Amino acid sequence: MRPWTERVKTMAYPVRLNEPVASSVARRGALGMISASLQGLVRFLVNWLTGRVAGDVVLGIVASALSLASALSLVWPGTLGSAASKFLARFRGAGDEEKVAAVASHLGRRTMQSGMLLAAVSVPLWIYIDHGSWIEAIPLALLVLGLSGYSFTRGLHFGVGQVARGTSWDLVMSLLGVAGLVVLLILRVRDLRLVLPVAGSLLGYTCACWPWRARGHVESRLRREIDAFVTIGALGSIASAGLLQISMLVARSTGGPRLAGQYAAALWLATPLSLITASLSMVLYPSMSEAWGRGDEQRVRDQTNLATRALAGVLVPAFGTLALASRPIVGLIWGPTFADAALLLPIFCAAILANNLAVPSVNSLSSRGHRGMYVTLGASQTGLLVSVFAWFTWGRESLATVALGYAEGMITIAAICISVAWRREGHHWLGLWSRVILAVAIAVVLVWIERRLWSNVWLDIPIALTFGATWLIISRHDVLSIVRRRS
């Protein structure tokens, strides 16, 4: 362990691109989990504090702004973080310090260019959505800038092996962001200005973690490779990760701020469990890219298999328990005024479970290069079309139809990516996915029974716990095989 004074100095000075901190995969995974958890926790606290203190109408405004900013940041800046993680790790592994600095400088310029453009675009979009003035939309523009810079600098820290430094700054800025929100709520601010603390914390992280000393020129061939990677990744992200944000905006157009607040309440209860997968992806993707660079296809296959089985063993009981206990959980966390959210939560659980279980397969395909990315891009675009078709076919008469359309799209994306990885890599997954599908079907039936047979929501808890424990017993062989492989 380094002395705390050295840790403070490391945080105070600009990030060192070619001085990675030695750490194990487990430690990097833990730090990645903490980093992903911090931002997820901040988002959840922002929504929860806003909903509990200011009500569902204000929550609908804030959640819609967060979704629009997130969707815009995915257009290009969101994938710049993945590019930094991939290309910086690749050239650092090759010992090419000049190219590491040049790539960091190039990606930084791309972040500023795209972030400022998208921040400007966000203003007229918000005016159209909220029917306000351009001055009222300034907090949203700052939020877009913050998200753009955060995505790049966070990926950069993973790529250059400075995960601990990035996580430390993440913790500091997350605390400041939540504290700022509390102050505004105490001051009775009840409009879009409530996103200013989040925007400020993201901009602060960006400034602290920016590669200020990076210099150099990227040759045209490498620049085209990087830009193509970002473009393909952005198109896929908009249709996959962006689908969640789009559904939030569709909910806003369907029922206005109040129903959008109900939608956001359910959505933000389901998404925190995705932090496990997000942290795993941040560590797994560079590792797979490195293995592909060495031509070690068997290692990539093993990592995909182990990660998929681990996620199934953890996430199926977690999301199943959450879905079955949705009524008491929503009542406890959000209060009685958010009853509509309890109806939506099981749908979100199914959608986000499918998305998370597909992450190892998506990482495996993407790490192969552009050919694998085209597969994930096609899957994402297909899923988006499925959702849009569902929204127009069923209409947008209720939040349930919006949520179901979103779930259909996410399940489609997951099914395509898993099927392709399964076939290409020759995994023995028939038993695994048969158990997962059976478990989801049982959970759906149990949710229907709960809603039909009793009104006492606290009876849902023993059902949920029994489901979770049963799955853990059934999947114990997969978990034990992972433990034996790791030992």
Side-chain angles (χ1 to χ4, degrees), residues 250-271:
V250 172
R252 169 68 186 266
S253 68
T254 298
R258 193 194 75 79
L259 289 183
Q262 298 283 332
Y263 194 90
L267 190 60
W268 282 104
L269 277 180
T271 50

PDB file of all heavy atoms in Angstrom, residues 250-271:
ATOM      1  N   VAL A 250     -39.539   8.677 -24.572  1.00  0.00           N
ATOM      2  CA  VAL A 250     -40.840   8.253 -25.096  1.00  0.00           C
ATOM      3  C   VAL A 250     -41.882   8.281 -23.982  1.00  0.00           C
ATOM      4  O   VAL A 250     -43.034   8.713 -24.185  1.00  0.00           O
ATOM      5  CB  VAL A 250     -40.744   6.849 -25.724  1.00  0.00           C
ATOM      6  CG1 VAL A 250     -42.134   6.320 -26.095  1.00  0.00           C
ATOM      7  CG2 VAL A 250     -39.854   6.875 -26.959  1.00  0.00           C
ATOM      8  N   ALA A 251     -41.482   7.827 -22.791  1.00  0.00           N
ATOM      9  CA  ALA A 251     -42.397   7.869 -21.642  1.00  0.00           C
ATOM     10  C   ALA A 251     -42.782   9.306 -21.312  1.00  0.00           C
ATOM     11  O   ALA A 251     -43.931   9.598 -20.960  1.00  0.00           O
ATOM     12  CB  ALA A 251     -41.751   7.196 -20.437  1.00  0.00           C
ATOM     13  N   ARG A 252     -41.817  10.217 -21.430  1.00  0.00           N
ATOM     14  CA  ARG A 252     -42.104  11.626 -21.164  1.00  0.00           C
ATOM     15  C   ARG A 252     -43.120  12.167 -22.166  1.00  0.00           C
ATOM     16  O   ARG A 252     -44.066  12.885 -21.799  1.00  0.00           O
ATOM     17  CB  ARG A 252     -40.798  12.434 -21.240  1.00  0.00           C
ATOM     18  CG  ARG A 252     -40.962  13.958 -21.257  1.00  0.00           C
ATOM     19  CD  ARG A 252     -41.490  14.493 -19.937  1.00  0.00           C
ATOM     20  NE  ARG A 252     -41.775  15.911 -20.028  1.00  0.00           N
ATOM     21  CZ  ARG A 252     -40.921  16.871 -19.675  1.00  0.00           C
ATOM     22  NH1 ARG A 252     -39.721  16.545 -19.215  1.00  0.00           N
ATOM     23  NH2 ARG A 252     -41.262  18.128 -19.757  1.00  0.00           N
ATOM     24  N   SER A 253     -42.964  11.815 -23.436  1.00  0.00           N
ATOM     25  CA  SER A 253     -43.907  12.288 -24.447  1.00  0.00           C
ATOM     26  C   SER A 253     -45.272  11.618 -24.312  1.00  0.00           C
ATOM     27  O   SER A 253     -46.283  12.158 -24.737  1.00  0.00           O
ATOM     28  CB  SER A 253     -43.342  12.025 -25.849  1.00  0.00           C
ATOM     29  OG  SER A 253     -43.284  10.645 -26.118  1.00  0.00           O
ATOM     30  N   THR A 254     -45.292  10.427 -23.683  1.00  0.00           N
ATOM     31  CA  THR A 254     -46.550   9.693 -23.519  1.00  0.00           C
ATOM     32  C   THR A 254     -47.408  10.273 -22.408  1.00  0.00           C
ATOM     33  O   THR A 254     -48.613  10.485 -22.574  1.00  0.00           O
ATOM     34  CB  THR A 254     -46.266   8.214 -23.214  1.00  0.00           C
ATOM     35  OG1 THR A 254     -45.568   7.643 -24.314  1.00  0.00           O
ATOM     36  CG2 THR A 254     -47.565   7.444 -22.981  1.00  0.00           C
ATOM     37  N   GLY A 255     -46.788  10.510 -21.253  1.00  0.00           N
ATOM     38  CA  GLY A 255     -47.585  10.904 -20.098  1.00  0.00           C
ATOM     39  C   GLY A 255     -47.179  12.181 -19.420  1.00  0.00           C
ATOM     40  O   GLY A 255     -47.710  12.505 -18.345  1.00  0.00           O
ATOM     41  N   GLY A 256     -46.226  12.938 -19.993  1.00  0.00           N
ATOM     42  CA  GLY A 256     -45.806  14.174 -19.369  1.00  0.00           C
ATOM     43  C   GLY A 256     -44.879  13.928 -18.196  1.00  0.00           C
ATOM     44  O   GLY A 256     -44.479  12.792 -17.895  1.00  0.00           O
ATOM     45  N   PRO A 257     -44.492  14.988 -17.468  1.00  0.00           N
ATOM     46  CA  PRO A 257     -43.513  14.865 -16.387  1.00  0.00           C
ATOM     47  C   PRO A 257     -43.927  13.902 -15.271  1.00  0.00           C
ATOM     48  O   PRO A 257     -43.095  13.182 -14.733  1.00  0.00           O
ATOM     49  CB  PRO A 257     -43.380  16.297 -15.857  1.00  0.00           C
ATOM     50  CG  PRO A 257     -43.805  17.158 -16.988  1.00  0.00           C
ATOM     51  CD  PRO A 257     -44.865  16.391 -17.705  1.00  0.00           C
ATOM     52  N   ARG A 258     -45.218  13.880 -14.898  1.00  0.00           N
ATOM     53  CA  ARG A 258     -45.615  13.050 -13.761  1.00  0.00           C
ATOM     54  C   ARG A 258     -45.428  11.566 -14.068  1.00  0.00           C
ATOM     55  O   ARG A 258     -44.809  10.840 -13.280  1.00  0.00           O
ATOM     56  CB  ARG A 258     -47.079  13.317 -13.373  1.00  0.00           C
ATOM     57  CG  ARG A 258     -47.432  12.704 -12.009  1.00  0.00           C
ATOM     58  CD  ARG A 258     -48.924  12.662 -11.781  1.00  0.00           C
ATOM     59  NE  ARG A 258     -49.562  11.617 -12.558  1.00  0.00           N
ATOM     60  CZ  ARG A 258     -49.564  10.325 -12.222  1.00  0.00           C
ATOM     61  NH1 ARG A 258     -48.929   9.920 -11.136  1.00  0.00           N
ATOM     62  NH2 ARG A 258     -50.189   9.445 -12.970  1.00  0.00           N
ATOM     63  N   LEU A 259     -45.950  11.096 -15.188  1.00  0.00           N
ATOM     64  CA  LEU A 259     -45.790   9.685 -15.527  1.00  0.00           C
ATOM     65  C   LEU A 259     -44.335   9.356 -15.856  1.00  0.00           C
ATOM     66  O   LEU A 259     -43.881   8.235 -15.624  1.00  0.00           O
ATOM     67  CB  LEU A 259     -46.698   9.325 -16.703  1.00  0.00           C
ATOM     68  CG  LEU A 259     -48.199   9.291 -16.387  1.00  0.00           C
ATOM     69  CD1 LEU A 259     -48.996   8.860 -17.618  1.00  0.00           C
ATOM     70  CD2 LEU A 259     -48.495   8.358 -15.220  1.00  0.00           C
ATOM     71  N   ALA A 260     -43.604  10.336 -16.400  1.00  0.00           N
ATOM     72  CA  ALA A 260     -42.177  10.124 -16.629  1.00  0.00           C
ATOM     73  C   ALA A 260     -41.456   9.913 -15.305  1.00  0.00           C
ATOM     74  O   ALA A 260     -40.494   9.139 -15.221  1.00  0.00           O
ATOM     75  CB  ALA A 260     -41.577  11.310 -17.376  1.00  0.00           C
ATOM     76  N   GLY A 261     -41.930  10.576 -14.258  1.00  0.00           N
ATOM     77  CA  GLY A 261     -41.353  10.358 -12.932  1.00  0.00           C
ATOM     78  C   GLY A 261     -41.603   8.949 -12.425  1.00  0.00           C
ATOM     79  O   GLY A 261     -40.725   8.325 -11.814  1.00  0.00           O
ATOM     80  N   GLN A 262     -42.798   8.419 -12.681  1.00  0.00           N
ATOM     81  CA  GLN A 262     -43.096   7.039 -12.307  1.00  0.00           C
ATOM     82  C   GLN A 262     -42.202   6.064 -13.083  1.00  0.00           C
ATOM     83  O   GLN A 262     -41.679   5.087 -12.535  1.00  0.00           O
ATOM     84  CB  GLN A 262     -44.571   6.736 -12.601  1.00  0.00           C
ATOM     85  CG  GLN A 262     -45.565   7.590 -11.830  1.00  0.00           C
ATOM     86  CD  GLN A 262     -45.723   7.161 -10.382  1.00  0.00           C
ATOM     87  OE1 GLN A 262     -45.528   6.003 -10.052  1.00  0.00           O
ATOM     88  NE2 GLN A 262     -46.078   8.100  -9.522  1.00  0.00           N
ATOM     89  N   TYR A 263     -42.044   6.338 -14.357  1.00  0.00           N
ATOM     90  CA  TYR A 263     -41.196   5.497 -15.214  1.00  0.00           C
ATOM     91  C   TYR A 263     -39.749   5.513 -14.711  1.00  0.00           C
ATOM     92  O   TYR A 263     -39.097   4.475 -14.617  1.00  0.00           O
ATOM     93  CB  TYR A 263     -41.267   6.033 -16.639  1.00  0.00           C
ATOM     94  CG  TYR A 263     -40.737   5.104 -17.705  1.00  0.00           C
ATOM     95  CD1 TYR A 263     -41.572   4.188 -18.329  1.00  0.00           C
ATOM     96  CD2 TYR A 263     -39.417   5.174 -18.122  1.00  0.00           C
ATOM     97  CE1 TYR A 263     -41.110   3.351 -19.335  1.00  0.00           C
ATOM     98  CE2 TYR A 263     -38.933   4.343 -19.131  1.00  0.00           C
ATOM     99  CZ  TYR A 263     -39.785   3.431 -19.723  1.00  0.00           C
ATOM    100  OH  TYR A 263     -39.304   2.601 -20.718  1.00  0.00           O
ATOM    101  N   ALA A 264     -39.257   6.707 -14.386  1.00  0.00           N
ATOM    102  CA  ALA A 264     -37.878   6.840 -13.901  1.00  0.00           C
ATOM    103  C   ALA A 264     -37.687   6.128 -12.569  1.00  0.00           C
ATOM    104  O   ALA A 264     -36.627   5.539 -12.320  1.00  0.00           O
ATOM    105  CB  ALA A 264     -37.525   8.317 -13.760  1.00  0.00           C
ATOM    106  N   ALA A 265     -38.698   6.176 -11.707  1.00  0.00           N
ATOM    107  CA  ALA A 265     -38.583   5.522 -10.403  1.00  0.00           C
ATOM    108  C   ALA A 265     -38.363   4.021 -10.559  1.00  0.00           C
ATOM    109  O   ALA A 265     -37.519   3.420  -9.877  1.00  0.00           O
ATOM    110  CB  ALA A 265     -39.843   5.795  -9.577  1.00  0.00           C
ATOM    111  N   ALA A 266     -39.128   3.397 -11.456  1.00  0.00           N
ATOM    112  CA  ALA A 266     -38.958   1.963 -11.692  1.00  0.00           C
ATOM    113  C   ALA A 266     -37.626   1.667 -12.375  1.00  0.00           C
ATOM    114  O   ALA A 266     -36.917   0.720 -12.016  1.00  0.00           O
ATOM    115  CB  ALA A 266     -40.110   1.438 -12.550  1.00  0.00           C
ATOM    116  N   LEU A 267     -37.275   2.505 -13.337  1.00  0.00           N
ATOM    117  CA  LEU A 267     -36.046   2.296 -14.100  1.00  0.00           C
ATOM    118  C   LEU A 267     -34.816   2.349 -13.203  1.00  0.00           C
ATOM    119  O   LEU A 267     -33.909   1.512 -13.305  1.00  0.00           O
ATOM    120  CB  LEU A 267     -35.957   3.365 -15.184  1.00  0.00           C
ATOM    121  CG  LEU A 267     -34.884   3.197 -16.249  1.00  0.00           C
ATOM    122  CD1 LEU A 267     -35.085   1.905 -17.015  1.00  0.00           C
ATOM    123  CD2 LEU A 267     -34.895   4.392 -17.195  1.00  0.00           C
ATOM    124  N   TRP A 268     -34.792   3.299 -12.294  1.00  0.00           N
ATOM    125  CA  TRP A 268     -33.610   3.470 -11.457  1.00  0.00           C
ATOM    126  C   TRP A 268     -33.546   2.503 -10.295  1.00  0.00           C
ATOM    127  O   TRP A 268     -32.539   2.459  -9.578  1.00  0.00           O
ATOM    128  CB  TRP A 268     -33.519   4.919 -10.981  1.00  0.00           C
ATOM    129  CG  TRP A 268     -32.993   5.786 -12.067  1.00  0.00           C
ATOM    130  CD1 TRP A 268     -33.697   6.642 -12.857  1.00  0.00           C
ATOM    131  CD2 TRP A 268     -31.650   5.849 -12.536  1.00  0.00           C
ATOM    132  NE1 TRP A 268     -32.883   7.232 -13.778  1.00  0.00           N
ATOM    133  CE2 TRP A 268     -31.616   6.765 -13.608  1.00  0.00           C
ATOM    134  CE3 TRP A 268     -30.467   5.213 -12.152  1.00  0.00           C
ATOM    135  CZ2 TRP A 268     -30.443   7.051 -14.292  1.00  0.00           C
ATOM    136  CZ3 TRP A 268     -29.304   5.513 -12.840  1.00  0.00           C
ATOM    137  CH2 TRP A 268     -29.299   6.419 -13.891  1.00  0.00           C
ATOM    138  N   LEU A 269     -34.593   1.739 -10.082  1.00  0.00           N
ATOM    139  CA  LEU A 269     -34.490   0.629  -9.133  1.00  0.00           C
ATOM    140  C   LEU A 269     -33.872  -0.601  -9.787  1.00  0.00           C
ATOM    141  O   LEU A 269     -33.249  -1.427  -9.117  1.00  0.00           O
ATOM    142  CB  LEU A 269     -35.870   0.277  -8.571  1.00  0.00           C
ATOM    143  CG  LEU A 269     -36.368   1.111  -7.399  1.00  0.00           C
ATOM    144  CD1 LEU A 269     -37.742   0.637  -6.960  1.00  0.00           C
ATOM    145  CD2 LEU A 269     -35.392   1.042  -6.225  1.00  0.00           C
ATOM    146  N   ALA A 270     -34.042  -0.734 -11.103  1.00  0.00           N
ATOM    147  CA  ALA A 270     -33.521  -1.912 -11.803  1.00  0.00           C
ATOM    148  C   ALA A 270     -32.087  -1.740 -12.272  1.00  0.00           C
ATOM    149  O   ALA A 270     -31.328  -2.711 -12.325  1.00  0.00           O
ATOM    150  CB  ALA A 270     -34.421  -2.227 -13.004  1.00  0.00           C
ATOM    151  N   THR A 271     -31.693  -0.519 -12.617  1.00  0.00           N
ATOM    152  CA  THR A 271     -30.374  -0.319 -13.222  1.00  0.00           C
ATOM    153  C   THR A 271     -29.183  -0.471 -12.280  1.00  0.00           C
ATOM    154  O   THR A 271     -28.098  -0.818 -12.756  1.00  0.00           O
ATOM    155  CB  THR A 271     -30.297   1.060 -13.909  1.00  0.00           C
ATOM    156  OG1 THR A 271     -30.759   2.066 -12.997  1.00  0.00           O
ATOM    157  CG2 THR A 271     -31.154   1.080 -15.147  1.00  0.00           C
TER     158      THR A 271
END
